[in-house]
Amino acid sequence: MRRSTARNVSVIAVAAALLTTGAAAPPAAHDAPRAPAKTPVATGYGGAVASVDADATAAGLQVLRSGGNAVDAAVATAAALGVTEPYSAGIGGGGYFVYYDARTRTVHTVDGRETAPASADSSLFLDKDGKPLPFDDAVTSGRSVGAPGTAATWDSALRAWGSRSLGQVLRPAEHLAKDGFTVDDTFRSQTASNAARFADFPDTAKLFLPGGRPPAVGSTLKNPDLARTYEKLGRQGIGLLYRGDLGKDIARTVRTPPVRPGSTRVVRPGDLTTRDLAGYRTVFRKPTEVSYRGLDVYGMAPSSSGGTTVGEALNILEDTDLAHASQTQYLHHYIEAGRIAFADRGRWVADPAYEDVPTGALLSQRFADSRACLISADHALTSPLAAGDPRRPVPCAHGGKAAPTPYEGQNTTHLTVADRWGDVVAYTLTIEQTGGSAMTVPGRGFLLNNELTDFSFTPADPAVPDPNLPGPGKRPRSSISPTVVLDRQHRPVFAIGSPGGASIITTVLQTLVNHVDRGMPLVDAIAAPRASQRNAAATELEPALYDSPLRAKLEALGQKFTEIDEIGAATGVERLPDGRWQAAAEKVRRGGGSAMVVHPAGPQ
């Protein structure tokens, strides 16, 4: 475990001094301290943090300023997001953690994906007649809740690479939950869209619907239950969740959903047990790796499909000169690479503990070349496209049974951190849908996930094998794609990631090629209008592309489109040639992100 020396520097919030002293917190303020202003880009020395939320970015930054490293700061940022982004993340969910160690110049990952109960089988989301449950009914139920992996991920990362204890890095988030944060438009709109669900669970309604309605923009939302939960988790360790009273409360909530008396909502119980929680383990996995334009791109291996799908798409694009292509041809080839990679993802990627996932073959250039030759410069492919066989590649193979990509919830959150030693973390965490299962654990202050709905309820096509059906203890396939890019000397160049369900993959892919091939500064590569093709009949386009002349040019090639308001909400960090770090976040999406650096003016 790397240890670092704390330094006496100014801090952003009152909890900063507590990181090293362990002193008791001052009395909670009557009003929340105003959050730092959001800015989408920051450049300087000493480390950098980028997330969707200014309070969370500030929590990570104060850890860096007090001498902590990137892992410490990532956990602090994630814990704060559990307060201010509770509909996207928290200790009721899971995620994937990618870490670059500057001392050894190596990349490591932690799979903190949720797991199904031991009793789960392929009928998990079928009704008594063997038909799939309506998706919304499955989400708001105990059946959708997997054993949470977030707390275990924090503990695993801190023990392996951190310099602070769990209690120390949770302290900023603990005080943020106690003192409260300022509600913005995004938080209020997300609450409003879930108000009917939230109202059916008394603890959820009490927390997120004060006075029976979504909190007003500019008001202060406090979560004293979560503050107490964080304090106990920091003091007692993650055994509180996996083997203690908190775990008992989680299991009770899943097995006996706390529905409001008089509610007409049918909320099916789940079968998660305290034994399932006690048996939960994170997995340290070898990252995926591909070479692209002289850079080494590292991602998350299965159970996530992020690393294999982004990697395959990059390999497909490797022989196309995207730097000099017209905007039409650039987008056309990007869309087609996504279509092909998603076709292969659906057939081959799932939890490797249960399925034979050909990860190495999926990432081979030989397989990518056999798929790239399907792309024509003058006409589009048709979805759903049949998968190829990476174990026995056949160049330009057509035919075979095709299966569409199942729906995957859109919400999640991502953070990216770098420290003064050059360590980097890209960490994406989630509770799946906006608001997860809608069930708050009574007295604990956090929502439970609905991650198990990321399993296929039934095969999309019975004639095509589906590796992502539910099973006992199985991790559902994810699209989470935290990505770290190194140069040939194994030094960090940049790191990125995004929320967005299955569109996470295309967001990371498009941001990466925008930056590497099209030469956009990272903040502009993130802000650029997005397209997302996931082996679907139509490609999703944000309004700036849908309303542009480019759409007609692409439609002339046979591309089909549908409009969507927003795709993803990426963040990243980049190491500049002069040694500075640049943090980058969204300019507009989700109300804009928050990028900060330790020393904007210069090294100190």
Side-chain angles (χ1 to χ4, degrees):
M1 179 180 293
R2 177 180 296 155
R3 294 289 174 187
S4 57
T5 302
R7 295 166 55 186
N8 293 321
V9 291
S10 62
V11 295
I12 294 172
V14 67
L18 302 175
L19 289 167
T20 52
T21 66
H30 292 294
D31 297 307
R34 187 172 298 276
K38 281 188 174 183
T39 179
V41 63
T43 305
Y45 296 88
V49 184
S51 81
V52 74
D53 179 76
D55 283 312
T57 297
L61 199 74
Q62 69 189 48
V63 170
L64 294 179
R65 282 181 165 170
S66 66
N69 66 25
V71 172
D72 306 323
V75 175
T77 305
L81 287 168
V83 179
T84 61
E85 285 262 293
Y87 308 149
S88 302
I91 58 172
Y96 297 88
F97 192 103
V98 176
Y99 167 65
Y100 169 78
D101 185 331
R103 183 177 60 83
T104 60
R105 298 193 183 187
T106 54
V107 178
H108 309 268
T109 78
V110 182
D111 181 333
R113 184 64 157 164
E114 301 85 344
T115 55
S119 62
D121 59 24
S122 60
S123 67
L124 180 64
F125 292 114
L126 304 182
D127 64 18
K128 57 183 175 59
D129 298 321
K131 296 181 179 179
L133 295 174
F135 187 79
D136 289 344
D137 290 358
V139 167
T140 310
S141 76
R143 291 195 195 184
S144 71
V145 182
T150 292
T153 300
W154 295 350
D155 186 70
S156 294
L158 288 170
R159 288 179 182 274
W161 312 297
S163 69
R164 301 296 173 87
S165 70
L166 181 62
Q168 287 175 309
V169 298
L170 289 183
R171 206 161 287 131
E174 176 192 335
H175 291 289
L176 183 60
K178 184 183 296 182
D179 296 342
F181 66 94
T182 303
V183 172
D184 62 11
D185 288 312
T186 299
F187 188 89
R188 190 185 191 283
S189 67
Q190 289 179 339
T191 308
S193 66
N194 280 282
R197 288 203 305 150
F198 287 179
D200 282 332
F201 299 95
D203 282 82
T204 306
K206 178 183 176 183
L207 179 56
F208 298 122
L209 298 173
R213 59 181 61 88
V217 173
S219 65
T220 298
L221 189 73
K222 300 181 181 183
N223 191 341
D225 286 345
L226 183 58
R228 285 188 290 270
T229 298
Y230 276 166
E231 189 278 329
K232 290 180 181 177
L233 194 65
R235 180 163 41 86
Q236 299 180 28
I238 64 167
L240 176 72
L241 193 155
Y242 295 101
R243 295 177 297 279
D245 291 343
L246 180 53
K248 292 176 183 177
D249 289 348
I250 291 172
R252 185 182 303 112
T253 303
V254 172
R255 298 174 69 84
T256 311
V259 184
R260 171 179 59 84
S263 170
T264 60
R265 187 182 301 275
V266 176
V267 181
R268 293 169 175 82
D271 198 30
L272 187 73
T273 67
T274 54
R275 180 172 293 183
D276 293 318
L277 294 170
Y280 182 85
R281 299 290 185 274
T282 57
V283 182
F284 289 84
R285 298 194 188 278
K286 180 181 178 182
T288 61
E289 179 184 359
V290 298
S291 176
Y292 187 71
R293 315 295 193 211
L295 301 172
D296 294 324
V297 181
Y298 291 86
M300 195 67 224
S303 59
S304 177
S305 62
T308 55
T309 312
V310 170
E312 181 186 346
L314 290 174
N315 284 339
I316 288 170
L317 294 170
E318 179 74 38
D319 290 333
T320 301
D321 185 2
L322 297 180
H324 298 98
S326 68
Q327 188 72 356
T328 301
Q329 282 298 316
Y330 157 64
L331 286 170
H332 173 64
H333 279 80
Y334 154 73
I335 288 168
E336 297 297 81
R339 188 194 313 272
I340 294 168
F342 263 89
D344 299 329
R345 163 195 183 266
R347 170 61 185 87
W348 298 106
V349 183
D351 184 346
Y354 291 77
E355 308 291 339
D356 183 13
V357 183
T359 299
L362 282 167
L363 291 171
S364 71
Q365 192 63 50
R366 177 177 174 232
F367 178 58
D369 291 344
S370 77
R371 302 293 278 160
C373 61
L374 293 171
I375 299 175
S376 167
D378 56 18
H379 69 268
L381 293 163
T382 301
S383 289
L385 184 72
D389 188 342
R391 303 165 303 180
R392 291 177 289 276
V394 176
C396 311
H398 284 274
K401 287 285 185 179
T405 300
Y407 176 76
E408 192 174 318
Q410 291 293 303
N411 218 356
T412 295
T413 194
H414 179 80
L415 62 97
T416 324
V417 180
D419 64 28
R420 61 182 178 177
W421 296 280
D423 304 315
V424 176
V425 172
Y427 181 25
T428 314
L429 59 161
T430 181
I431 59 172
E432 217 273 346
Q433 288 283 105
T434 305
S437 66
M439 297 189 297
T440 296
V441 180
R444 300 296 192 170
F446 63 89
L447 290 156
L448 289 174
N449 70 83
N450 65 287
E451 292 297 345
L452 301 189
T453 58
D454 277 350
F455 283 123
S456 304
F457 289 15
T458 58
D461 185 327
V464 179
D466 189 335
N468 191 43
L469 294 171
K474 191 174 182 179
R475 287 167 153 85
R477 180 175 60 210
S478 172
S479 296
I480 286 174
S481 310
T483 301
V484 173
V485 180
L486 307 182
D487 63 19
R488 287 300 166 84
Q489 286 73 48
H490 297 282
R491 298 171 302 187
V493 179
F494 64 97
I496 53 173
S498 177
S503 71
I504 293 171
I505 290 168
T506 58
T507 296
V508 168
L509 175 64
Q510 188 173 4
T511 302
L512 194 151
V513 294
N514 280 345
H515 188 46
V516 173
D517 290 292
R518 306 299 280 186
M520 295 183 188
L522 186 58
V523 68
D524 294 336
I526 288 170
R530 293 186 183 129
S532 181
Q533 170 53 244
R534 307 189 296 276
N535 198 25
T539 298
E540 293 176 347
L541 289 186
E542 289 185 328
L545 280 176
Y546 192 85
D547 297 334
S548 79
L550 279 169
R551 176 163 67 95
K553 294 178 181 179
L554 289 163
E555 286 173 337
L557 301 177
Q559 298 286 359
K560 296 178 173 62
F561 299 107
T562 185
E563 187 176 13
I564 188 170
D565 288 342
E566 192 173 275
I567 299 172
T571 72
V573 296
E574 181 176 16
R575 182 179 59 85
L576 300 178
D578 62 5
R580 293 180 298 164
W581 286 104
Q582 184 170 89
E586 296 287 356
K587 294 181 178 180
V588 176
R589 297 181 186 95
R590 279 213 203 170
S594 173
M596 299 181 187
V597 292
V598 174
H599 300 300
Q604 294 182 21

